[in-house]
Amino acid sequence: MTTEILLHDSADQLVEQVAGTLLDTLAAQQASGRAPQLCMTGGRVANRIYARVAELAPDHALDWSNLDLWWGDERFVPTDDPDRNVGQALATLAGRLQLSPSRIHSMPAADGPADLDAAARTYADDLGTTVFDICLLGMGPDGHVASLFPYHPSSEPTSRSVIPVRNSPKPPPERLSLTLPVLNASTEVWLLVTGADKAEAVARAHRGEDIPAAKVHGTARTRWFLDAEAAADL
């Protein structure tokens, strides 16, 4: 397993680089005869990347109908709530790309038939033994990834693949999250981090401190995409 730190002068440059690299990597996986499994993340920089992907996609070889989309975490709010990660991503992608509805694996919403615990079980059943080819993750200023928060029950060791998260330090209080065993089974993990408010957590993660961002990695490769501000304390 290799770890790469990819530095960019600005967030704009990072968005451009990640969007192009993501399209090229997924297309290469399809060319090898597989349907790639992509785990999505939420957040400002991720949504900017998805917007750029949507702009580049019409001129690219990637077949979006032969690609499974998953989510690393989700806010447990109603389906039409603008805070839903899946809603934000699909609002950008679905209108411009030929996505296959059966390959969009969104986490259950709060207005569905399941409560939070049952929703976690439902998504775990859907996930099964899926291994992500690429898992995209953001990181918070506290070093959280997905909805695994430091010094919080969500980051305690578990054998479960999907957990309900209550009393989240970041609103909304109820969430669903994949766990470290699932994230760390990914072939590649890409951490997408911008902004000066993340610099301390980036440095802490690379020192191996006890925060979730320090514990996540891919089985083949871990790539940290950083802008200059996020990398300032390295």
Side-chain angles (χ1 to χ4, degrees), residues 13-167:
Q13 187 185 85
L14 182 149
V15 166
E16 189 72 22
Q17 181 65 47
V18 173
T21 302
L22 183 62
L23 285 167
D24 290 345
T25 304
L26 293 172
Q29 291 167 353
Q30 284 182 343
S32 72
R34 295 183 302 104
Q37 305 294 312
L38 174 64
C39 186
M40 309 272 277
T41 188
R44 289 189 300 272
V45 67
N47 286 322
R48 289 186 60 193
I49 290 167
Y50 303 150
R52 184 57 179 146
V53 163
E55 292 171 351
L56 295 172
D59 298 319
H60 201 276
L62 181 64
D63 176 6
W64 283 88
S65 68
N66 188 32
L67 169 71
D68 281 85
L69 301 180
W70 302 85
W71 271 263
D73 74 321
E74 187 58 273
R75 290 83 178 254
F76 196 61
V77 292
T79 304
D80 60 358
D81 192 300
D83 279 345
R84 290 261 299 169
N85 289 332
V86 64
Q88 294 174 14
L90 294 183
T92 300
L93 297 174
R96 306 187 65 171
L97 307 176
Q98 297 299 313
L99 299 174
S100 173
S102 65
R103 292 182 178 274
I104 299 172
H105 305 273
S106 57
M107 288 184 167
D111 56 347
D115 62 18
L116 186 63
D117 293 283
R121 293 192 295 269
T122 296
Y123 203 66
D125 289 342
D126 189 16
L127 183 67
T129 59
T130 300
V131 172
F132 306 127
D133 293 285
I134 299 174
C135 178
L136 305 176
L137 291 172
M139 185 197 72
D142 59 354
H144 83 263
V145 294
S147 284
L148 307 178
F149 296 92
Y151 318 117
H152 183 269
S154 59
S155 62
E156 293 176 355
T158 181
S159 60
R160 299 178 66 179
S161 59
V162 185
I163 57 170
V165 177
R166 293 181 170 86
N167 300 315

Side-chain angles (χ1 to χ4, degrees), residues 136-220:
L136 305 176
L137 291 172
M139 185 197 72
D142 59 354
H144 83 263
V145 294
S147 284
L148 307 178
F149 296 92
Y151 318 117
H152 183 269
S154 59
S155 62
E156 293 176 355
T158 181
S159 60
R160 299 178 66 179
S161 59
V162 185
I163 57 170
V165 177
R166 293 181 170 86
N167 300 315
S168 163
K170 180 180 179 181
E174 292 192 337
R175 296 162 172 255
L176 296 166
S177 184
L178 301 187
T179 61
L180 278 177
V182 175
L183 301 178
N184 289 345
S186 306
T187 303
E188 297 193 17
V189 168
W190 296 11
L191 291 112
L192 319 171
V193 189
T194 62
D197 61 329
K198 311 289 182 65
E200 181 181 357
V202 168
R204 292 180 64 199
H206 285 273
R207 289 195 299 265
E209 295 190 20
D210 187 21
I211 55 174
K215 301 174 184 178
V216 67
H217 54 76
T219 59

